[in-house]
Amino acid sequence: MKTLAIIPARAGSKGVPGKNLRPVGGIPLVARAIETAKKSASVSKIVTTTDSEDIASIAREWGSEIIMRPRDLAADNTAMTPVILDVLQRMTAKNQEFDAFTLLQPTCPFRLPEDIINSIRLLSEHNADAVLSVYQAVHGHPAWMYKMSANGQLLPLDPKLANARRQDLPKIYQRSGVIYTIRCDAFLREEKLLLDNAVPMIVPQERAINIDEPLDMIIAEALANHEAYPYS
């Protein structure tokens, strides 16, 4: 399966300014995504889509091709779908066609090459349109979540499970940003990441860390330097 690795790395970020160039384990986030794609040996091409010359320079240095996206695709409220469409359309304009793409967001620094390989394998084995990474939600189980009423009363999100023991709770899985591997024709047809004909790829919770806030960066750096985890 001919697969394109797409690494989205714009300059702006409100939660962690300049986060795509911030190092985790001594390596910039965008570089970690590129290196993981290269080590997987399962992608045909790696492209980084960015609006930043600084990010583009680092991405080139680590072995990625560059697509300089227009500013209207690099705003805080820009969805991922038009960014991917822009990449695929540019590839088509160069007569470069792919069966699938894998979206590797730099903000998930702990994906492994095997994750990319497995996602492509699952896509083929299940004849699916998409593979999405998920992790088992333990501490954030909906049974322990509440809504707030108009008068300030706590209302269980799921009253049937509010008093259940942890051991009796059904397994719940939360989508992570580690992997979105999607068939190009399905994406172009539906123009969305969350396709109906999708299968999950379960990853451990520590690999599902997504850096959105300063605390996430602190946790990521701690994991990258912890001897128990092979993420440095």
Side-chain angles (χ1 to χ4, degrees):
M1 183 177 294
K2 192 175 181 182
T3 304
L4 174 69
I6 301 176
I7 299 172
R10 69 185 184 93
S13 172
K14 290 183 177 179
V16 181
K19 66 181 176 183
N20 285 313
L21 287 177
R22 294 278 293 271
V24 166
I27 302 173
L29 287 176
V30 67
R32 292 181 74 99
I34 294 166
E35 188 67 7
T36 302
K38 288 165 60 178
K39 287 181 178 179
S40 76
S42 59
V43 297
S44 304
K45 182 184 287 291
I46 304 169
V47 297
T48 299
T49 168
T50 185
D51 61 324
S52 163
E53 291 292 349
D54 290 337
I55 292 175
S57 177
I58 293 295
R60 285 192 196 96
E61 179 182 334
W62 283 79
S64 174
E65 293 191 18
I66 305 299
I67 289 179
M68 297 303 298
R69 69 172 89 163
R71 291 195 178 277
D72 63 323
L73 292 181
D76 288 337
N77 60 352
T78 299
M80 190 61 68
T81 293
V83 173
I84 297 171
L85 285 171
D86 177 62
V87 172
L88 295 181
Q89 288 164 0
R90 293 186 191 222
M91 293 294 103
T92 298
K94 296 193 293 185
N95 294 317
Q96 298 182 24
E97 301 289 344
F98 298 87
D99 300 305
F101 68 85
T102 183
L103 182 68
L104 307 178
Q105 300 178 91
T107 49
C108 293
F110 298 135
R111 75 173 58 82
L112 299 178
E114 299 94 286
D115 294 328
I116 301 173
I117 295 168
N118 288 337
S119 72
I120 296 171
R121 175 183 55 81
L122 288 169
L123 193 71
S124 179
E125 286 183 355
H126 291 270
N127 195 26
D129 288 333
V131 174
L132 308 180
S133 58
V134 298
Y135 65 95
Q136 185 179 345
V138 179
H139 302 295
H141 198 287
W144 301 325
M145 294 184 178
Y146 292 82
K147 298 179 289 186
M148 191 80 73
S149 69
N151 63 358
Q153 182 183 6
L154 285 175
L155 303 174
L157 195 62
D158 189 339
K160 299 188 297 297
L161 296 176
N163 294 304
R165 298 186 311 155
R166 178 181 60 82
Q167 298 92 328
D168 298 330
L169 293 175
K171 290 183 179 181
I172 298 293
Y173 295 91
Q174 184 169 334
R175 189 173 78 245
S176 76
V178 174
I179 290 284
Y180 292 84
T181 297
I182 301 176
R183 293 186 189 273
C184 292
D185 58 354
F187 179 80
L188 292 171
R189 181 177 65 248
E190 300 192 33
E191 296 192 0
K192 61 182 182 180
L193 289 174
L194 303 180
L195 303 180
D196 293 334
N197 183 22
V199 295
M201 185 182 78
I202 302 173
V203 299
Q205 187 171 5
E206 71 270 11
R207 289 224 301 279
I209 287 176
N210 193 348
I211 298 175
D212 286 323
E213 304 294 338
L215 178 59
D216 301 327
M217 183 65 75
I218 293 171
I219 294 171
E221 189 63 26
L223 277 178
N225 290 289
H226 198 292
E227 62 183 12
Y229 298 102
Y231 302 139
S232 58

